[in-house]
Amino acid sequence: MRSIWNGAISFGLVSIPIKLVNATESHSVSFRQIHTEDGGRIRYRKVCELEDREVTQAEIGKAYEDADGSMIPITDEDLSQLPIPTARTIEIVAFVPEDRIDPLQMGSAYYLAASGAPAAKPYTLLREALKRSNRVAIAKFALRGRERLGMLRVVGDAIAMHGLLWPDEVRAPEGVAPEGGVTVREQELDLADALMDTLGEIDLDDLHDEYQEAVEEVIAAKAAGERPPEAPAEAAPGKVLDLMAALESSVRAARESRDGEEAGAAEGAEVRSLPRRESSARRAPKETGGKKSTSTAAKKTAAKKAEPKKSTARSSAASAKKTAAKTTAKKTTAKSTTRSGDKATARSTAKSTAKKTASRRRSA
């Protein structure tokens, strides 16, 4: 960052060489003035009224216009020799609590950078002293042709300075508040509190300049020869005369908006598995107990499964024995039947043979 001022911080008898740099920047889109008929640039030329001619920057100085219109020339040398101690020094005059500073006084912000290695030690000393005391430093300094008031505070590892308006530069809020006595009911305050709670807090980093983005879109569209985007027509708000009704409607709308945003965030959420270390650490006690119950259950299940197998084996063995016994009985019956049949056949054969022999003998 480019420094805009070089000097030193006067901290009692301690001098800290520093460089002043801007702590903020503007991102706003700037425009040029043109002649609408032909698009030509409109430029301001610096012309001397007495000679009626354009003058260069080297010919231009500064002057103070008196009440009668006369000009009193003031040179840079005149300003550099002003009898003030803050011409090149940020002089710390006091240390106060930060809440003593009215935000209305706060203006531009700057960073104070240590200038060179010798400034590192006293710079760090002042920074740590401000941190430990929980206070801010009030200082006076001269910048751009005038003496100013500043507040020094710690931002991270750096010292920042906010330009302050002088107390007499802040206007009193006279005539700003509504005139006459206005009574606010407790129910209205309760609804206002509910509305504030519903709106909740917000991270300032999530806020952005929508106007600047819209202007950039218009410029990009016109540069591409396209038609600029049109803003949607806004619905005319209804007139709500009752403050209670307005507060209730605001609370209801804020809740619906918040619920819608949460639902949208849930739909667009990305599901990710938890790290293994965390899950194992969290589930370790449960897994230990679970293993015991699992092994016990497995043993019981195995026992249950084993019992039907044993009974099945026993029944199968008994059935096999019965089948074998039946088969043996059948074989024995068949054998006995065959044997008895053979014996009967033999007997009948013997009888028929005897009869035939006897008949033959008779015939003989």
Side-chain angles (χ1 to χ4, degrees), residues 15-36:
S15 180
I16 310 172
I18 56 96
K19 296 179 179 180
L20 192 69
V21 297
N22 285 317
T24 61
E25 58 184 358
S26 175
H27 293 161
S28 60
V29 179
S30 59
F31 297 100
R32 301 291 186 184
Q33 291 185 337
I34 62 170
H35 187 195
T36 56

Side-chain angles (χ1 to χ4, degrees), residues 130-150:
L130 290 173
K131 279 185 181 179
R132 192 169 70 172
S133 65
N134 291 323
R135 289 182 291 179
V136 296
I138 303 300
K140 296 168 67 177
F141 65 102
L143 181 65
R144 297 190 179 99
R146 53 168 294 191
E147 189 176 50
R148 302 169 184 262
L149 196 62

Side-chain angles (χ1 to χ4, degrees), residues 11 25 92 95 100 118 125 143 158 174 179 188 197 204 207 228 237 245 247 255 268 306 314 335:
F11 178 34
E25 58 184 358
I92 296 177
F95 292 90
R100 286 271 305 275
L125 172 64
L143 181 65
E174 296 179 358
E179 298 179 359
E188 294 169 342
D197 294 338
L204 294 180
L207 301 177
L247 288 171
R255 288 176 179 171
R314 291 175 183 174
K335 287 181 180 179

Side-chain angles (χ1 to χ4, degrees), residues 298-317:
K299 290 179 181 179
K300 291 181 179 180
T301 306
K304 290 181 180 179
K305 290 181 179 180
E307 289 177 0
K309 288 182 179 179
K310 290 180 180 179
S311 59
T312 305
R314 291 175 183 174
S315 60
S316 300

Side-chain angles (χ1 to χ4, degrees), residues 79-253:
L79 297 176
S80 63
Q81 295 179 355
L82 291 176
I84 57 174
T86 58
R88 285 289 172 185
T89 305
I90 299 176
E91 183 184 4
I92 296 177
V93 296
F95 292 90
V96 300
E98 188 172 1
D99 58 5
R100 286 271 305 275
I101 305 302
D102 189 346
L104 287 173
Q105 290 184 253
M106 299 181 68
S108 302
Y110 309 93
Y111 286 132
L112 303 180
S115 180
K121 183 67 177 290
Y123 185 97
T124 305
L125 172 64
L126 177 59
R127 182 190 66 197
E128 297 303 316
L130 290 173
K131 279 185 181 179
R132 192 169 70 172
S133 65
N134 291 323
R135 289 182 291 179
V136 296
I138 303 300
K140 296 168 67 177
F141 65 102
L143 181 65
R144 297 190 179 99
R146 53 168 294 191
E147 189 176 50
R148 302 169 184 262
L149 196 62
M151 178 189 75
L152 277 63
R153 69 184 183 96
V154 178
V155 178
D157 292 332
I159 299 176
M161 181 174 68
H162 295 269
L164 299 179
L165 298 175
W166 296 98
D168 58 357
E169 293 179 324
V170 179
R171 293 178 177 178
E174 296 179 358
V176 177
E179 298 179 359
V182 179
T183 303
V184 178
R185 294 179 294 173
E186 290 294 331
Q187 294 85 349
E188 294 169 342
L189 285 175
D190 293 340
L191 283 173
D193 291 339
L195 179 57
M196 289 189 291
D197 294 338
T198 305
L199 293 176
E201 298 181 357
I202 192 172
D203 187 357
L204 294 180
D205 293 334
D206 295 336
L207 301 177
H208 59 279
D209 190 351
E210 297 181 2
Y211 179 82
Q212 178 186 345
E213 294 177 355
V215 170
E216 291 175 353
E217 290 181 3
V218 171
I219 294 173
K222 299 202 73 171
E226 301 175 356
R227 185 176 181 180
E230 296 181 358
E234 297 183 359
K239 294 183 179 180
V240 182
L241 301 179
D242 187 7
L243 181 58
M244 288 289 292
L247 288 171
E248 291 174 354
S249 300
S250 301
V251 172
R252 183 165 54 253

